[in-house]
Amino acid sequence: MEIESVGVVGAGQMGNGIAHVMALAGYQVLLNDISEEALKSAVEIIDRNLDRQVSREKISAEEKAAAMARITTTGVLTDLGRTDLVIEAATEKESIKQAIFAELVPHLKPETILTSNTSSISITRLAARTDRPERFMGFHFMNPVPVMQLVELIRGIATDDSTYAACKAVVERLGKTPTMAEDFPAFIVNRILMPMINEAVYVLYEGVGSVVSIDQSLKLGANHPMGPLELADFIGLDTCLAIMNVLHEGLADTKYRPCPLLTKYVEAGWLGRKTRRGFYDYRGEVPVPTR
Ligand code: CAA
């Protein structure tokens, strides 16, 4: 089946990035969110990020205009029923995702492929609650979506070969590289990345190093583009904690226990860049470590 139109559920950090790259690759994009405010702000962010690519001569002004023209927004979830591929990128809470699929499924075309951008929730379990486990898979983008090369494709136990092939072809049309992961907690990237971030928080918690020394060590000592605590703030500390909980519960191994200091930051509402405070305070001119 030829995919021409893409429905994106959720206009947050991931959703707007997905709409951006899909529109740039020539797909008609229908972007949905329950908040009109979020939709308006997503379109502004996409416009700004496309401008960034124009000014760096990655794309032309005409390509930007054509991409913007391919994006339509809607506050009505069921409008996405007419698209060929749906990517759910709502909040990382299983009950919310299940509710979205329950509402959307009766309105989908029989051939529509349904996917989730979940960073850790079981694809098999999400798929089992829909009418199309064979045409369901994980479509996991990395942040920032317009920049990162990888898309993880996760096959649930029932995902069929044609669904995988169709999704792989979409990733390739985006100019990105797909990797295939089996459906086990947090898949590949987060299974490896999150324990590293969690360990960095333990290093801070135990007083082995300060925020600055931990980040500098990994940036200068391992050539990571961001230190682990800076990266945690960038991803969102609530997301990091949610993924650690999925690993801890899903693999039943104490080596994945979330650091109490990470839990404390989340309880404080210090979630990183999006709340302007996390391991760094972003409210001033330059980020200042909070410990
Ligand atoms: N849209 C479009 N372009 C963007 C952009 C965006 N949102 N953000 C950055 N860019 C572009 C810039 O224009 C710039 O382009 P050129 O290379 O053409 O000049 C390039 O990206 C680099 O940006 P900057 O110069 O502003 O900043 P930088 O060099 O410090 O790089 C970064 C920023 C790309 C984010 C880099 O710090 C990085 O790679 N960090 C690590 C990111 C990472 O690990 N992401 C994965 C997180 S895990 C995940 O996402 C999975 C999950 O489920 C949690």
Side-chain angles (χ1 to χ4, degrees):
M1 178 194 142
E2 194 60 37
I3 289 171
E4 278 158 13
S5 56
V6 179
V8 181
V9 185
Q13 192 167 248
M14 298 308 285
N16 76 56
I18 296 168
H20 170 142
V21 297
M22 289 289 176
L24 204 52
Y27 294 104
Q28 292 298 325
V29 176
L30 191 50
L31 178 62
N32 160 261
D33 201 284
I34 42 169
S35 154
E36 282 297 331
E37 198 52 44
L39 286 171
K40 199 167 150 269
S41 130
V43 172
E44 285 164 12
I45 292 169
I46 295 169
D47 192 80
R48 234 183 6 252
N49 283 335
L50 284 166
D51 271 342
R52 222 203 279 224
Q53 290 174 298
V54 173
S55 66
R56 308 232 184 180
E57 295 178 357
K58 298 263 162 173
I59 61 170
S60 67
E62 291 71 31
E63 284 168 315
K64 179 205 155 178
M68 287 304 291
R70 288 187 201 105
I71 300 174
T72 311
T73 62
T74 175
V76 181
L77 175 65
T78 52
D79 285 351
L80 270 53
R82 62 174 185 267
T83 60
D84 304 324
L85 168 69
V86 172
I87 303 179
E88 172 278 316
T91 309
E92 189 68 355
K93 277 217 178 79
E94 191 162 345
S95 55
I96 293 177
K97 292 184 190 296
Q98 298 282 15
I100 288 168
F101 293 135
E103 186 180 342
L104 186 58
V105 158
H107 300 269
L108 293 177
K109 298 187 289 184
E111 66 274 22
T112 295
I113 295 177
L114 196 52
T115 69
S116 174
N117 179 58
T118 178
S119 46
S120 60
I121 298 169
S122 164
I123 295 303
T124 302
R125 204 162 59 229
L126 289 174
R129 304 274 192 89
T130 72
D131 64 342
R132 60 194 67 209
E134 301 77 15
R135 303 188 69 69
F136 192 103
M137 75 181 300
F139 210 121
H140 183 214
F141 287 87
M142 307 298 131
N143 188 18
V145 178
V147 181
M148 304 300 282
Q149 267 304 305
L150 182 78
V151 178
E152 248 182 328
L153 292 176
I154 304 104
R155 293 181 74 139
I157 201 164
T159 309
D160 66 22
D161 288 344
S162 65
T163 301
Y164 172 65
C167 290
K168 184 165 174 277
V170 172
V171 176
E172 283 163 355
R173 181 161 158 195
L174 298 177
K176 297 191 184 288
T177 303
T179 49
M180 220 277 283
E182 290 298 329
D183 182 26
F184 288 100
F187 322 129
I188 297 175
V189 171
N190 285 325
R191 169 87 177 254
I192 298 170
L193 184 63
M194 283 306 155
M196 183 199 73
I197 287 176
N198 193 49
E199 197 60 28
V201 186
Y202 269 112
V203 170
L204 180 67
Y205 175 64
E206 290 168 7
V208 181
S210 65
V211 168
V212 171
S213 56
I214 292 166
D215 277 349
Q216 269 183 355
S217 296
L218 271 291
K219 271 202 290 205
L220 305 180
N223 261 5
H224 290 193
M226 285 178 171
L229 300 174
E230 191 187 356
L231 182 57
D233 277 356
F234 181 69
I235 292 167
L237 304 191
D238 50 342
T239 303
C240 295
L241 180 61
I243 297 170
M244 284 313 297
N245 280 326
V246 166
L247 283 168
H248 194 212
E249 285 156 24
L251 296 167
D253 189 329
T254 55
K255 77 176 176 181
Y256 298 112
R257 69 202 187 285
C259 179
L261 185 60
L262 179 61
T263 308
K264 197 201 285 277
Y265 269 80
V266 173
E267 284 171 351
W270 293 12
L271 307 182
R273 285 203 197 179
K274 62 185 167 189
T275 58
R276 304 185 71 206
R277 218 171 347 173
F279 292 112
Y280 294 85
D281 187 333
Y282 300 91
R283 293 172 299 171
E285 290 273 294
V286 288
V288 179
T290 52
R291 278 182 95 79

